[in-house]
Amino acid sequence: MSSTAFLSMWLSNTSTAAMVMPIVEAVVQQIISAEAEVEATQMTYFSGSTNQGLEIDESVDGNETNEKKEKTKPVPGNDAGKTSSKMELEKNSGTGNRYRTKKDHMMCKLMCLCIAYSSTIGGLTTITGTSTNLIFAEHFNTRYPECHCINFGSWFIMSFPAAVIILLLSWVWLQWLFLGFNFKELFKCGKTKTSRQKACAEVIKQEYQKLGPIRYQEIVTLVLFVTMAVLWFTREPGFVTGWSALFSEYPGFATDSTVALLVGLLFFLIPAKRLTKTTPAGETVAFDYSPLITWKEFQSFMPWDIAILVGGGFALADGCEESGLSKWMGNKLSPLGSLPVWLIILISSLLVTSLTEIASNPATITLILPILAPLAEAIHVNPLYILLPSTLSTSFAFLLPVANPPNAIVFSYGHLKVIDMVKAGLGVNIVGLAVVMLGMFTWIAPMFDLHTYPSWAPTISNETMP
């Protein structure tokens, strides 16, 4: 979950889930197969056959050993236990039964949900982590151009603690729901590994060794990735002057998009490998090079539908502003100002979380921002007080497979039922909303001075719109 969340900070949630899930599925299946082989070997040993190379798990007490001996007791000879063991494995590995035990099935369900949920949670931490954050940042900076409080660094400082807490509590919830949560067993240090655990560790070690040493292309990509992250953080860090001050003559030109486009351009220029040819004289000469990414590859992998959807959201927001619809909605919702601020935040977050389960996240945030921003202005509350929790809650689409693409990706592997995702997602939704509410009234409020109405927000008086 930690690895997936970290990747999702920089990649899209969908790309992260699509990349990690096949790896997890392959490793889990290999681990289950390794456990089956160890179990079969142990049963063969208990049945009376000798296997000097096998170390019996010392944690198995005498009663368990006697029970296994009785189950695999040979009827006419020592080969009967071995035969019955093979027959049982063949039965479990057939098409009629996909999993050896219920625990294996629970493990597959757990791993699927871990990948889906952690890829969504990781996207909360950066503005570029998910499309809803981008839509909010663009809408907010367009509506309130005099506010310079939302940038890559401030967003990360605000959302990273919340994402870490949500990730930790989600792990505890999923672990307890599917496999139980034995604190003594889980955190016991220095315990002797069982033969099954040794087999699982060996499988993971072998898969890691197959990767081989890090390649030149991977090193270059890592350097570009770190460079982009550093430039994002240092553009306007807040506590010191950022590098964007070097371009003070051109305000508004040095943005996070500038960094992304510059680093993206380098991928088309830096060579990945040399293209060689053999001359008539038999010499091998280099005549060209292949870049890290070609335009054809970029076209095939670029999510153009997301770009069009986000752009359409910006157009819809501008239409609401220019037509006066936003102002009219704000005036109509102004009676909500009599409610406590925390209740308004909770109602808006619950509304957004419910809506995002049946509609796409970008569509939800595009629909809700032009309504909530005028509402905050009408009741004379800092717009960030309502917009920030609503934006974070838009990503809490954990209940249904159709709620967001990562859910659909893991659901397609066939381990889960809809009811499994509903039960697990309900708990994660509650955890997410609780942590966001906690953050709004602890570390986020002093960061943006949310308790005062800012000068960069307009003052709207109640008036009748035609």
Side-chain angles (χ1 to χ4, degrees):
M1 289 181 73
S2 301
S3 303
T4 306
F6 177 78
L7 289 174
S8 186
M9 290 168 59
W10 317 102
L11 307 176
S12 70
N13 302 349
T14 306
S15 300
T16 303
M19 178 177 65
V20 175
M21 190 58 212
I23 302 173
V24 172
E25 174 72 8
V27 171
V28 167
Q29 294 302 328
Q30 289 181 344
I31 289 176
I32 291 176
S33 299
E35 288 185 345
E37 292 178 4
V38 170
E39 184 176 336
T41 309
Q42 287 181 345
M43 292 178 68
T44 302
Y45 181 89
F46 292 143
S47 66
S49 300
T50 58
N51 187 346
Q52 302 297 332
L54 177 66
E55 293 183 5
I56 300 300
D57 183 9
E58 296 179 358
S59 65
V60 179
D61 58 21
N63 293 333
E64 292 176 343
T65 305
N66 291 333
E67 290 175 4
K68 290 187 176 181
K69 283 182 178 180
E70 290 178 2
K71 290 181 181 178
T72 58
K73 184 177 181 181
V75 180
N78 288 340
D79 292 336
K82 188 185 299 184
T83 304
S84 63
S85 179
K86 289 182 179 179
M87 290 175 62
E88 183 178 350
L89 286 175
E90 289 174 0
K91 179 181 178 181
N92 288 335
S93 61
T95 58
N97 191 356
R98 189 176 178 183
Y99 313 99
R100 290 189 311 115
T101 63
K102 183 180 179 181
K103 183 179 179 181
D104 289 344
H105 192 188
M106 292 295 106
M107 172 62 74
C108 292
K109 290 182 179 181
L110 176 61
M111 296 302 292
C112 287
L113 292 174
C114 283
I115 299 305
Y117 294 166
S118 57
S119 64
T120 300
I121 295 170
L124 298 173
T125 55
T126 61
I127 288 182
T128 57
T130 184
S131 58
T132 55
N133 298 352
L134 284 170
I135 294 173
F136 163 76
E138 182 64 25
H139 179 273
F140 184 84
N141 292 329
T142 301
R143 187 178 181 89
Y144 308 108
E146 297 180 3
C147 177
H148 304 287
C149 53
I150 297 297
N151 54 51
F152 195 91
S154 64
W155 183 275
F156 182 83
I157 296 173
M158 174 203 71
S159 59
F160 183 75
V164 170
I165 297 173
I166 295 172
L167 192 72
L168 180 62
L169 295 180
S170 299
W171 166 67
V172 173
W173 162 248
L174 293 174
Q175 173 77 17
W176 175 83
L177 184 64
F178 288 98
L179 293 180
F181 206 92
N182 189 337
F183 282 93
K184 184 178 179 181
E185 181 70 19
L186 202 61
F187 299 105
K188 185 179 179 182
C189 299
K191 60 182 179 181
T192 304
K193 290 185 177 180
T194 65
S195 54
R196 291 186 181 185
Q197 291 173 333
K198 291 178 181 178
C200 296
E202 186 64 26
V203 169
I204 296 176
K205 183 179 179 181
Q206 291 175 359
E207 291 299 313
Y208 178 74
Q209 291 175 346
K210 289 179 183 178
L211 295 176
I214 187 170
R215 299 179 300 163
Y216 160 75
Q217 295 89 339
E218 295 169 338
I219 295 175
V220 174
T221 302
L222 178 62
V223 171
L224 292 177
F225 166 75
V226 173
T227 302
M228 180 180 67
V230 170
L231 289 175
W232 270 340
F233 277 109
T234 57
R235 183 177 68 86
E236 288 182 357
F239 54 92
V240 294
T241 304
W243 59 263
S244 61
L246 300 174
F247 307 96
S248 57
E249 298 180 1
Y250 308 97
F253 279 80
T255 64
D256 293 334
S257 303
T258 309
V259 176
L261 288 174
L262 177 62
V263 174
L265 181 63
L266 293 178
F267 277 93
F268 292 96
L269 301 178
I270 298 177
K273 60 181 179 180
R274 292 186 302 174
L275 302 179
T276 60
K277 64 179 179 179
T278 304
T279 62
E283 298 179 357
T284 302
V285 295
F287 69 95
D288 200 355
Y289 73 90
S290 174
L292 288 171
I293 186 173
T294 64
W295 181 251
K296 183 178 291 186
E297 293 170 339
F298 175 78
Q299 281 185 309
S300 61
F301 289 104
M302 173 66 186
W304 297 106
D305 53 342
I306 298 296
I308 296 173
L309 180 62
V310 172
F314 296 153
L316 179 61
D318 287 343
C320 293
E321 186 71 23
E322 293 296 327
S323 65
L325 179 61
S326 297
K327 191 175 182 181
W328 179 82
M329 284 184 174
N331 287 328
K332 293 297 182 183
L333 294 173
S334 58
L336 290 177
S338 58
L339 298 175
V341 176
W342 68 268
L343 186 57
I344 297 175
I345 296 174
L346 180 60
I347 292 174
S348 61
S349 299
L350 287 173
L351 175 65
V352 170
T353 305
S354 303
L355 183 60
T356 196
E357 297 292 349
I358 56 176
S360 68
N361 298 356
T364 302
I365 194 70
T366 300
L367 177 66
I368 212 72
L369 284 178
I371 299 176
L372 295 181
L375 168 63
E377 298 167 4
I379 62 178
H380 211 67
V381 172
N382 192 321
L384 287 173
Y385 224 148
I386 298 179
L387 296 183
L388 284 178
S390 299
T391 301
L392 294 175
S393 299
T394 309
S395 297
F396 297 156
F398 300 123
L399 285 181
L400 300 173
V402 297
N404 63 11
N407 291 6
I409 290 173
V410 302
F411 190 80
S412 65
Y413 279 79
H415 300 299
L416 294 165
K417 296 180 181 178
V418 175
I419 189 62
D420 296 324
M421 190 167 284
V422 170
K423 288 192 296 185
L426 185 60
V428 179
N429 267 349
I430 295 174
V431 166
L433 286 175
V435 172
V436 168
M437 291 293 293
L438 174 67
M440 290 306 299
F441 293 97
T442 52
W443 70 86
I444 299 177
M447 273 187 62
F448 300 106
D449 193 18
L450 298 181
H451 296 298
T452 59
Y453 192 76
S455 58
W456 43 261
T459 302
I460 296 181
S461 57
N462 291 334
E463 57 186 38
T464 304
M465 295 296 295

